[in-house]
């Protein structure tokens, strides 16, 4: 019952925010301007997102190629039988299974120290991590930016707020790491 009331409260808050967003004159003017002139803003947002996805794929491929290790057949079978890593669905896989994996776990403090000391330039094990962080940043700004450009005033507020919150929390986490 509590989650039902929380859901209703969330819907009411979003509705009120939508009404308020429509009353913010500069936001309304920006929405009208972007609706009339979506280019080059839409193209920039899409391009940034695509570059981010390409970098992410490159970081994963480099990690698998340079830092990865072959999986045993048992590990690959177990991976395939559990829906490629998701333990909620069990399936049977017949035939020979091959796989490759790489894992990297770092903290904000580790990343901060590697950046400050310059280890990320000398040690290639940091490359997929830093390229992945850059890729995630570009993906987030590109995708939220796209919806900021094409969206209604409420969508603009949500996208800008989500990005601002993510940036502030990430900067705070690195600052205190």
């Amino acid at each position: 019952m509590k989650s039902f009331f929380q859901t209703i409260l969330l819907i009411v808050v979003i509705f009120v925010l939508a009404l308020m967003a429509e009353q913010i004159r500069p936001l309304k003017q920006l929405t009208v301007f972007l609706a009339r002139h979506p280019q080059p803003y839409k193209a920039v947002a899409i391009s940034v997102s695509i570059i981010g996805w390409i970098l992410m794929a490159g970081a994963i491929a480099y990690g698998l190629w340079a830092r990865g290790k072959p999986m045993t057949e048992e590990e690959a079978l177990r991976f395939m039988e559990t829906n490629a890593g998701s333990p909620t669905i069990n399936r049977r896989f017949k035939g020979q299974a091959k796989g490759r994996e790489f894992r990297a776990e770092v903290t904000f403090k580790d990343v901060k120290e590697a950046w400050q000391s310059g280890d990320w330039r000398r040690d290639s094990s940091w490359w997929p991590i830093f390229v992945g962080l850059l890729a995630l940043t570009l993906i987030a700004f590109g995708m939220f930016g796209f919806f900021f450009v094409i969206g209604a005033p409420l969508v603009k507020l949500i996208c800008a707020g989500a990005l601002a919150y993510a940036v502030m929390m990430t900067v705070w986490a690195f600052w205190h790491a």
Side-chain angles (χ1 to χ4, degrees), residues 7-20 154:
T7 304
I8 297 298
L9 179 63
L10 180 64
I11 291 170
V12 168
V13 167
I14 290 173
F15 181 73
V16 169
L17 279 174
L19 291 175
M20 288 174 49
L154 177 62

Side-chain angles (χ1 to χ4, degrees), residues 10-76:
L10 180 64
I11 291 170
V12 168
V13 167
I14 290 173
F15 181 73
V16 169
L17 279 174
L19 291 175
M20 288 174 49
E22 290 293 330
Q23 303 307 317
I24 300 172
R25 188 177 188 98
L27 189 58
K28 205 171 178 182
Q29 291 171 340
L30 178 63
T31 303
V32 170
F33 173 79
L34 288 174
R36 288 186 188 145
H37 310 287
Q39 297 302 338
Y41 311 107
K42 197 158 71 167
V44 168
I46 291 169
S47 299
V48 167
S49 184
I50 289 171
I51 291 168
W53 284 109
I54 290 170
L55 284 174
M56 181 60 76
I60 292 169
Y62 178 79
L64 284 171
W65 176 62
R67 312 279 310 152
K69 69 173 186 73
M71 297 170 80
T72 66
E73 186 169 357
E74 290 175 6
E75 290 173 330

Side-chain angles (χ1 to χ4, degrees), residues 3 21 32 50 65 77 82 86 171-172:
S3 64
V32 170
I50 289 171
W65 176 62
L77 278 172
T82 58
S86 174
V171 167
W172 183 84

